[in-house]
Amino acid sequence: MPAQQKKIIFCVAGVLSFACALGTAAAIGSQLWVKATILCKTGALLVNATGQELEKFIGKIQYGLFYGERVRQCGLGGRPLQFSFFPDLLRIIPASIHVSVILFCTVLLVFALVGAGFFMFNAFGSPYETLHGPIGLYLWSFITCSCGCLIMILFSSEVKIHRLSEKIANFKEGSFIFKTHSEQFANSFWIILGCSLVQFLNALLIRFAGFDFPFSKPKDSGTVTGAADLMY
């Protein structure tokens, strides 16, 4: 492939990787990872609420990696409460998983920036070492994509398996019990998914530029030459 086309491909990959870093930074600081509605089960059972009456007992909750907001309703109107994971919720959440998610988000951000820098270096500079060349580009893309996948797996398990929304909903609640009525992942979670797909796309762009995948076996030139000699 001509050098000019390779430069264009590396520039595109670098811009995508930098956009991935910006998206990850925005996701880390956002509280829109999960949106959910919570049902005040105790209040609904007290008045035997059904149908439209349940709406008076359904509150809302949204949160990210560091803080969030909860609006509880138990038939007396919405009462908002803002909370932070550190140190407010540290005792009730799976702290090891939550800290791991934050750690992998940081690694994703750092390596996305590193990858963007090396993509631009390969586009406008002269690669002179393995980690500056195509194998290094595959490495940065692989690490970033892997971190994005781990973030989604860990955070999904924290929310779904460990019932994070219910734990937050029942935070500082003595006599009332809340249950998750509906739950969905919000924009920041899907940004991480998009970043993982972008890094996978970058690996395909490197291959499209004419570089083989790392550890791929080179063709045996001797065998090909011998077959050609037999033809003559």
Side-chain angles (χ1 to χ4, degrees), residues 27-28 30-35 62-67 83 85 93-94 96-105 147-165 168 183-193:
I28 292 174
S30 173
Q31 69 176 27
L32 293 178
W33 281 67
V34 174
K35 288 183 177 181
Q62 64 180 28
Y63 55 90
L65 298 180
F66 294 98
Y67 58 94
F83 57 87
F85 282 88
I93 65 172
S96 59
I97 297 178
H98 199 77
V99 172
S100 297
V101 172
I102 297 173
L103 177 62
F104 282 117
C105 282
C147 287
C149 294
L150 286 173
I151 291 168
M152 290 185 293
I153 293 171
L154 291 175
F155 190 75
S156 298
S157 66
E158 185 179 8
V159 174
K160 299 297 183 181
I161 298 177
H162 294 275
R163 298 180 179 179
L164 184 60
S165 298
I168 295 175
E183 189 176 49
Q184 63 181 359
F185 293 107
N187 299 337
S188 296
F189 180 85
W190 301 118
I191 287 175
I192 300 298
L193 173 61

Side-chain angles (χ1 to χ4, degrees), residues 25-224:
I28 292 174
S30 173
Q31 69 176 27
L32 293 178
W33 281 67
V34 174
K35 288 183 177 181
T37 58
I38 51 176
L39 172 65
C40 181
K41 185 178 179 181
T42 305
L45 289 176
L46 285 175
V47 299
N48 196 21
T50 57
Q52 294 183 351
E53 295 177 349
L54 282 176
E55 295 181 0
K56 297 180 180 180
F57 299 91
I58 295 178
K60 297 180 181 180
I61 185 174
Q62 64 180 28
Y63 55 90
L65 298 180
F66 294 98
Y67 58 94
E69 184 178 6
R70 182 189 72 184
V71 179
R72 63 190 290 273
Q73 288 198 140
C74 291
L76 301 174
R79 297 185 180 183
L81 171 68
Q82 292 185 346
F83 57 87
S84 60
F85 282 88
F86 305 98
D88 295 344
L89 303 177
L90 197 57
R91 295 182 180 179
I92 64 172
I93 65 172
S96 59
I97 297 178
H98 199 77
V99 172
S100 297
V101 172
I102 297 173
L103 177 62
F104 282 117
C105 282
T106 305
V107 175
L108 190 154
L109 172 61
V110 171
F111 276 92
L113 289 174
V114 170
F118 280 115
F119 274 116
M120 291 302 180
F121 180 82
N122 279 269
F124 299 103
S126 299
Y128 55 90
E129 292 182 3
T130 300
L131 294 182
H132 291 207
I135 296 180
L137 297 179
Y138 282 123
L139 178 63
W140 314 133
S141 299
F142 174 76
I143 292 176
T144 310
C145 183
S146 300
C147 287
C149 294
L150 286 173
I151 291 168
M152 290 185 293
I153 293 171
L154 291 175
F155 190 75
S156 298
S157 66
E158 185 179 8
V159 174
K160 299 297 183 181
I161 298 177
H162 294 275
R163 298 180 179 179
L164 184 60
S165 298
E166 283 191 6
K167 291 181 178 180
I168 295 175
N170 290 283
F171 174 62
K172 290 185 177 180
E173 292 292 341
S175 57
F176 291 98
I177 297 176
F178 290 87
K179 294 292 183 181
T180 303
H181 186 261
S182 66
E183 189 176 49
Q184 63 181 359
F185 293 107
N187 299 337
S188 296
F189 180 85
W190 301 118
I191 287 175
I192 300 298
L193 173 61
C195 291
S196 301
L197 296 177
V198 164
Q199 296 303 321
F200 181 75
L201 176 62
N202 282 350
L204 295 180
L205 288 176
I206 301 168
R207 181 65 186 89
F208 183 72
F211 297 114
D212 292 330
F213 289 107
F215 311 112
S216 60
K217 294 181 179 180
K219 294 182 179 180
D220 190 357
S221 58
T223 305
V224 176

